[in-house]
């Protein structure tokens, strides 16, 4: 029998287990209920006008055609100088740095460039939700291990540690790539220099590469320091380093980031990149190159965000939420299971839906960072917001 020509043929999904990303879902729910959106990670305050002037200046100077495939030369040089100054590793801007359409594209492209069928990729959950689908599209197999949760005697998570034994057990001759994320979304955990050394020892006689997602590199507080993969020579020699101008300069909607990697890895990365996005919008790159010359723009971020975190934390002390450590990133995780309300028994996703629709504050369930449902009674708030936004949210949260 003839097929109905007006019907779309059967279309098996390449990503059957994937729905819409939780960040989009929660932002849409927040908009629907006019809730204060502390869910998806983005600032609600404007970026520096100087940066906008720099981009406008680039457009008016007619920088509006395709830039070089790997990115505007001045921006790649600026990134190389920044990494050299902060982390002591010299990447060649001509061959080892590529400007991407945000961190997420850099991650997907890096994975597609090195992972194929039969390859195993280790991720450490809770993990950013793009990692696993990117591995699937590459045909690789995800080996997920979990951060070690330190719990109190009632089973509530207090903090997290790197699961060294599980990581060692996960590594085998099929391991092609290990994804790490420091500072870590959603827990804020930061890798120490000794952690990088331990990772280097674990993989030194293997073919495993590393992808280090460092998009929150400039948001580290208190006594903590960011230790980039670039600061460890043996790891730098086998790693993709990912970062994001959107996160650093409060312009998440511009979707501009970068990847740094040794030449042999970057050569393959660019082969995928050129047929994926080809290149990234030109005037933003010229504007960012100019703005990047002033290191204060990123060196001032820790104190800028730490005061937001401290303000938010002190307001949360007046609630029944239990605060987990927030040493970095712009996220504060809290445990809600001690709240004296019936909803404290809900699973994380249901709690976040309720909190958004009934209380008017959106948050992200940490369970969304795991493939199999793991419930720890923990949700994530983003404090990259105007003080007024945080104070309005705190009034609502203090009513619980
Ligand atoms: N990284 C951001 C977060 O964790 C969101 C990025 C996105 O929505 N794609 O909230």
């Amino acid at each position: 029998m003839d097929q109905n020509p007006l019907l779309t043929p059967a279309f098996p999904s390449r990503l059957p287990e994937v729905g819409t990303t939780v960040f989009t879902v929660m932002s849409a729910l927040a908009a629907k209920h006019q809730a204060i959106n502390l869910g998806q990670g983005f600032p609600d305050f404007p970026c520096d006008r100087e940066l906008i002037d720099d981009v406008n200046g680039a457009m008016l100077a007619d920088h509006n055609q395709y830039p070089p495939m790997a990115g505007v030369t001045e921006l790649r040089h600026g990134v190389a100088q920044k990494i050299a100054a902060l982390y002591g590793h010299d990447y060649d801007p001509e061959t080892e740095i590529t400007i991407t359409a945000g961190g997420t594209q850099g991650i997907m492209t890096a994975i597609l460039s090195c992972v194929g069928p039969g390859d195993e990729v280790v991720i450490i959950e809770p993990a950013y939700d793009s990692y696993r689908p990117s591995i699937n599209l590459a045909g690789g197999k995800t080996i997920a291990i979990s951060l070690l949760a330190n719990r109190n005697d009632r089973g509530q998570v207090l903090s997290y540690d790197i699961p060294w034994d599980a990581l060692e057990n996960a590594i085998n001759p099929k391991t092609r790539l290990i994804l790490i994320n420091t500072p870590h979304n959603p827990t804020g955990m930061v890798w120490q220099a000794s952690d990088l050394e331990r990772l280097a020892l674990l993989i030194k006689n293997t073919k495993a590469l590393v992808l280090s997602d460092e998009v929150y590199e400039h948001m580290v507080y208190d006594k903590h320091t960011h230790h980039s993969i670039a600061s460890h020579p043996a790891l730098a020699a086998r790693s993709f380093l990912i970062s994001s101008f959107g996160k650093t300069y409060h312009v998440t909607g511009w979707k501009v980031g970068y990847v740094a990697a040794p030449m042999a890895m970057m050569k393959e990365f660019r082969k995928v990149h050129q047929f994926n996005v080809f290149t990234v919008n030109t005037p933003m790159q010229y504007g960012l190159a100019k703005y990047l010359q002033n290191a204060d723009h990123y060196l001032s971020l820790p104190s800028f965000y730490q005061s937001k975190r401290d303000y938010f934390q002190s307001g949360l002390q007046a609630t029944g939420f239990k605060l987990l450590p927030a040493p970095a990133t712009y996220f504060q995780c809290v445990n809600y299971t001690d709240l004296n309300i019936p909803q404290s028994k809900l699973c994380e996703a249901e709690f976040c839906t309720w909190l958004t629709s009934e209380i008017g504050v959106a948050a992200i369930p940490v369970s969304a960072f795991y493939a199999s449902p793991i419930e720890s009674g923990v949700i994530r708030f983003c404090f990259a917001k105007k003080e007024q936004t945080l104070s309005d949210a705190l009034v609502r949260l203090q009513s619980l």
Side-chain angles (χ1 to χ4, degrees):
M1 208 175 93
D2 283 349
Q3 284 181 16
N4 179 344
L6 299 180
L7 281 185
T8 306
F11 183 25
S13 176
R14 299 282 322 278
L15 294 170
E17 68 291 349
V18 168
T20 302
T21 168
V22 64
F23 308 109
T24 299
V25 169
M26 291 313 296
S27 282
L29 194 68
K32 181 175 165 202
H33 294 282
Q34 292 171 353
I36 300 168
N37 190 356
L38 305 189
Q40 190 177 24
F42 65 91
D44 73 340
F45 44 84
C47 70
D48 190 346
R49 295 291 118 175
E50 184 185 328
L51 177 55
I52 292 187
D53 287 344
D54 290 343
V55 171
N56 277 340
M59 275 193 264
L60 291 169
D62 291 326
H63 290 304
N64 299 305
Q65 307 307 326
Y66 294 129
M69 183 269 282
V72 163
T73 308
E74 290 84 340
L75 185 56
R76 281 185 281 129
H77 280 258
V79 168
Q81 279 160 15
K82 186 193 89 164
I83 295 175
L86 294 182
Y87 310 129
H89 185 83
D90 288 318
Y91 288 101
D92 180 346
E94 296 308 321
T95 56
E96 300 188 316
I97 290 174
T98 298
I99 308 303
T100 59
T104 304
Q105 184 243 314
I107 292 165
M108 162 87 82
T109 302
I111 291 171
L112 288 174
S113 74
C114 67
V115 174
D119 289 334
E120 294 187 0
V121 182
V122 180
I123 67 169
I124 306 176
E125 291 181 327
Y128 185 53
D129 69 346
S130 86
Y131 298 167
R132 194 183 273 267
S134 300
I135 299 162
N136 287 349
L137 286 175
K141 181 173 176 201
T142 303
I143 307 295
I145 58 175
S146 294
L147 283 182
L148 287 180
N150 302 309
R151 295 171 189 273
N152 64 12
D153 50 12
R154 298 180 43 227
Q156 292 170 326
V157 176
L158 302 175
S159 63
Y160 299 90
D161 284 324
I162 300 167
W164 289 110
D165 290 346
L167 187 54
E168 186 167 1
N169 290 336
I171 296 168
N172 68 67
K174 288 191 196 143
T175 308
R176 186 64 186 129
L177 187 65
I178 298 168
L179 264 71
I180 68 168
N181 171 211
T182 183
H184 182 250
N185 176 11
T187 67
M189 201 186 78
V190 283
W191 284 53
Q192 308 301 316
S194 56
D195 296 327
L196 294 179
E197 178 58 21
R198 197 158 170 185
L199 175 65
L201 285 176
L202 273 187
I203 60 176
K204 77 173 181 187
N205 292 320
T206 75
K207 63 166 194 186
L209 307 173
V210 177
L211 184 156
S212 186
D213 175 354
E214 302 182 12
V215 299
Y216 301 101
E217 64 180 318
H218 300 298
M219 297 165 205
V220 178
Y221 317 121
D222 309 321
K223 59 187 186 318
H224 299 279
T225 309
H226 172 59
H227 296 280
S228 172
I229 203 87
S231 65
H232 192 290
L235 287 177
R238 50 166 75 206
S239 298
F240 294 104
L241 161 57
I242 314 277
S243 194
S244 154
F245 294 109
K247 294 284 185 312
T248 300
Y249 294 140
H250 322 309
V251 287
T252 59
W254 288 9
K255 296 300 300 171
V256 190
Y258 60 86
V259 177
M263 184 162 64
M265 290 168 67
M266 187 49 76
K267 187 170 165 221
E268 295 306 311
F269 179 97
R270 286 181 182 174
K271 287 184 191 173
V272 180
H273 176 79
Q274 68 185 341
F275 296 129
N276 182 1
V277 294
F278 178 47
T279 191
V280 176
N281 61 82
T282 309
M284 260 66 173
Q285 292 194 57
Y286 275 98
L288 286 164
K290 186 151 181 269
Y291 195 72
L292 183 62
Q293 286 170 8
N294 184 345
D296 289 344
H297 292 143
Y298 51 82
L299 295 179
S300 59
L301 277 195
S303 62
F304 174 75
Y305 273 121
Q306 184 166 333
S307 59
K308 290 190 181 296
R309 184 205 60 173
D310 292 349
Y311 176 78
F312 190 51
Q313 283 190 338
S314 65
L316 283 175
Q317 302 293 357
T319 71
F321 288 108
K322 213 180 231 122
L323 279 68
L324 274 70
T329 75
Y330 46 43
F331 302 118
Q332 172 69 56
C333 287
V334 299
N335 189 304
Y336 59 85
T337 55
D338 275 351
L339 288 173
N340 203 9
I341 49 172
Q343 290 79 10
S344 65
K345 306 280 176 294
L346 293 174
C347 74
E348 293 171 17
E350 285 167 357
F351 184 85
C352 286
T353 302
W354 171 78
L355 195 68
T356 308
S357 56
E358 301 302 320
I359 306 302
V361 180
I364 299 289
V366 166
S367 55
F369 292 73
Y370 291 89
S372 48
I374 290 196
E375 291 292 330
S376 40
V378 178
I379 59 172
R380 187 196 82 176
F381 291 119
C382 172
F383 56 77
K385 306 293 169 188
K386 293 183 254 199
E387 191 164 311
Q388 187 63 50
T389 309
L390 294 175
S391 109
D392 291 347
L394 284 166
V395 168
R396 296 179 187 190
L397 296 174
Q398 285 159 358
S399 74
L400 291 176

